[in-house]
Structures are given as C-alpha cells and as structure tokens.
Amino acid sequence: MNPGDIQALELRLWIERRQGDFDAALETRREILRLDPLNPDWTEVLLHGLRTMHRYDEIRAEIEAS
C-alpha cells in the first residue's frame, strides 16, 4: 500500500532471502537504501548481500558511491 514503508520492505527482503530469490532481495536492498540513504546500516546490508553473491565489482562501485 505504501511503497516507501521501510518496515514493509524489510519484511519483503526477509521473505525473498528465505525463498532463495537473491536477485530480488538485492533489488529490495537497493530500494531501501534509495529511500533511506543516510542510514549507514543499509549500505552495510547492501554490501553484505553483494559479497554473498560474489559481485565484487558492484561492491567497489557502491563503496565509491557512498
């Protein structure tokens, strides 16, 4: 109902990870970070997801962007 609700997106992220849909979970992480860019925890969550998926070039790009 509310696309900017971070708590709902956190729940969606949890569900996606539990279902093994890591690409969707990564996009949800990016969406959360876009909605709450000043929260350093979300950057860390995104980097952890990228590291889990072995996307090291994207990690470097995210670190440089943040």
Side-chain angles (χ1 to χ4, degrees):
M1 296 290 208
N2 183 2
D5 185 1
I6 300 244
Q7 290 178 336
L9 290 172
E10 286 180 277
L11 180 59
R12 185 172 84 185
L13 173 62
W14 182 81
I15 292 168
E16 290 166 347
R17 284 186 308 128
R18 296 290 292 171
Q19 290 180 338
D21 192 355
F22 299 110
D23 290 323
L26 183 60
E27 290 309 311
T28 301
R29 286 180 177 102
R30 289 182 197 270
E31 186 176 350
I32 292 171
L33 184 60
R34 183 183 58 78
L35 292 171
D36 191 11
L38 299 179
N39 186 342
D41 293 336
W42 290 120
T43 302
E44 198 62 35
V45 167
L46 176 61
L47 294 176
H48 176 72
L50 289 169
R51 186 174 51 240
T52 301
M53 297 175 72
H54 305 283
R55 295 187 178 184
Y56 304 113
D57 292 336
E58 292 179 51
I59 291 172
R60 185 175 323 173
E62 288 294 333
I63 290 172
E64 290 172 0
S66 67

